[in-house]
Amino acid sequence: MRYRPLGRTGFEVSEIGFGAASWWGKPQFSEASAIRLVHAALDGGVTVFDTGASYSGGHAEARLGRALKGRGDGLVVASKAGTFAKDGRIGRDFSAAAIVASTEASLRKLDLETLPLLQLHGPGVAELTDELRAALADLKGRGLVRALGVNSFDPAVIEHVLGLSDFDTVMVDYNVLRPEREPLIARAVAAGKAVLAGMPLAMGHTGGQVAKLRAPRDLWYAARGLLRHRREVEAGARFGFLGRTPGMTGAQAALSYVLANPDVACAVTGTSRMAHLRDNLAASGLSLPAETLAEIRAAQSRLSLARLSG
Ligand SMILES: NC(=O)c1ccc[n+]([C@@H]2O[C@H](COP(=O)([O-])OP(=O)(O)OC[C@H]3O[C@@H](n4cnc5c(N)ncnc54)[C@H](OP(=O)(O)O)[C@@H]3O)[C@@H](O)[C@H]2O)c1
């Protein structure tokens, strides 16, 4: 595993992180299998574990806490506040009081005294109030949080955050389908922020996730894709050639693309399968063949033209 600095935070992090989210954190997925994945990630040198208060119906944080029990030292455990799971739905509350309460609950669930990285989960620009920023500073001052970040897939929000000195990291949606994030990522690093790539495998859609129906979880992934991420599903179908990359799997090619960007500190991947975890960890240090990169660039240009005309 290779390591990169997490901006100005002082942390060195594994360039591949583990996303403790979605199917991994759901009660339908066996706790023993979920914990085995986390332990294999630790054994493979992963030091970033990314979760959120609302992930997996609110179950992911506590499961991650149990999985990391006794093995949490030196890790960047990252959680998110501002969204919460209630009655099968996701709610949002970026008031200062809600963010403080959510962070304190995250610490209890994760069984930590200090959260290495707290990220606001999809705030709007107007929600980044002075009152909220003062509360975040207070959490840091009380030693409950080490570093602060914002996770948003809205470029306008990230652009705004680049001007706010209190935030150390940004997590953006960056993968082969999103080359347009590259100038934003470069500006983030120029502004002193570390960049985490969320969704580096485009939720598996560059590998035809929706057509792979091997187990109940795949139905869930397919429904998520078709109901909520149809654009990624359609765009991902243009990148099927990644699966023919010499010397690596399609997922490794997709991850290598993200990691070839030196401005990315860590690509956070989600998986519920040991073979996929091993595949993803082995992507660290691989180099994308020049011909594959050229094919990716050509597919991105065609995608961009299709988006313009569609
Ligand atoms: N998606 C979001 O909206 C979002 C938002 C904020 C932050 N994040 C962070 O980013 C992390 C990653 O996001 P994500 O889980 O949406 O997307 P992802 O990591 O891009 O993709 C996960 C999907 O790809 C499949 N997969 C993983 N490794 C694979 C491999 N080697 N070969 C083939 N398929 C593979 C997984 O299925 P298997 O279980 O079968 O491996 C799953 O369907 C999250 O865990 C979270 O920490 C995501």
Side-chain angles (χ1 to χ4, degrees):
M1 177 63 66
R2 295 193 178 181
Y3 297 84
R4 302 183 183 199
L6 189 67
R8 64 185 183 198
T9 64
F11 293 121
E12 279 264 310
V13 294
S14 55
E15 61 182 14
I16 294 177
F18 185 93
S22 62
W23 192 263
W24 174 88
K26 288 186 175 290
Q28 299 97 303
F29 184 53
S30 101
E31 173 105 347
S33 302
I35 289 180
R36 264 197 300 277
L37 286 164
V38 167
H39 289 176
L42 287 166
D43 294 343
V46 170
T47 63
V48 175
F49 290 84
D50 180 66
T51 190
S54 64
Y55 279 8
S56 311
H59 298 286
E61 278 183 325
R63 175 169 277 183
L64 181 62
R66 293 190 290 275
L68 292 177
K69 201 161 185 57
R71 298 187 66 172
D73 282 355
L75 302 178
V76 175
V77 179
S79 197
K80 308 196 184 70
T83 58
F84 57 90
K86 194 170 179 211
D87 304 330
R89 292 178 173 272
I90 303 288
R92 49 200 317 287
D93 189 345
F94 287 90
S95 65
I99 296 295
V100 170
S102 177
T103 306
E104 289 172 349
S106 294
L107 287 168
R108 282 193 298 276
K109 289 182 184 171
L110 289 161
D111 198 13
L112 293 173
E113 283 175 12
T114 302
L115 185 64
L117 175 61
L118 172 69
Q119 301 161 101
L120 297 181
H121 192 203
V125 166
E127 287 166 321
L128 296 168
T129 60
D130 290 347
E131 191 193 357
L132 172 56
R133 292 170 61 197
L136 291 172
D138 189 53
L139 284 171
K140 243 182 163 176
R142 289 161 61 199
L144 299 185
V145 165
R146 272 281 297 275
L148 292 169
V150 169
N151 169 211
S152 175
F153 294 170
D154 179 347
V157 172
I158 297 292
E159 206 73 68
H160 178 75
V161 168
L162 301 192
L164 303 179
S165 59
D166 13 14
F167 294 105
D168 308 295
T169 71
V170 291
M171 177 183 271
V172 300
D173 49 340
Y174 180 48
N175 53 54
V176 290
L177 308 183
R178 289 255 169 256
E180 64 272 27
R181 294 288 180 261
E182 283 157 16
L184 180 65
I185 288 171
R187 284 198 295 283
V189 169
K193 314 296 180 197
V195 176
L196 296 144
M199 259 169 71
L201 296 173
M203 291 180 286
H205 297 315
T206 54
Q209 178 71 57
V210 293
K212 292 180 182 167
L213 301 177
R214 300 149 291 192
R217 81 193 74 167
D218 297 315
L219 287 175
W220 184 83
Y221 285 140
R224 176 177 74 162
L226 293 171
L227 294 173
R228 290 179 19 219
H229 301 280
R230 194 171 275 270
R231 280 183 57 164
E232 275 79 9
V233 174
E234 286 165 7
R238 296 170 175 268
F239 291 78
F241 62 84
L242 290 173
R244 296 189 292 278
T245 306
M248 60 178 87
T249 66
Q252 289 175 334
L255 278 176
S256 298
Y257 173 84
V258 170
L259 293 174
N261 186 334
D263 288 338
V264 170
C266 177
V268 181
T269 61
T271 185
S272 61
R273 288 184 163 97
M274 190 62 82
H276 288 171
L277 177 74
R278 296 202 194 292
D279 197 34
N280 298 343
L281 300 191
S284 178
L286 293 182
S287 297
L288 207 50
E291 312 77 65
T292 309
L293 183 57
E295 269 190 278
I296 291 173
R297 290 294 182 209
Q300 288 170 337
S301 299
R302 288 193 295 272
L303 178 60
S304 160
L305 284 174
R307 279 176 180 158
L308 282 175
S309 62

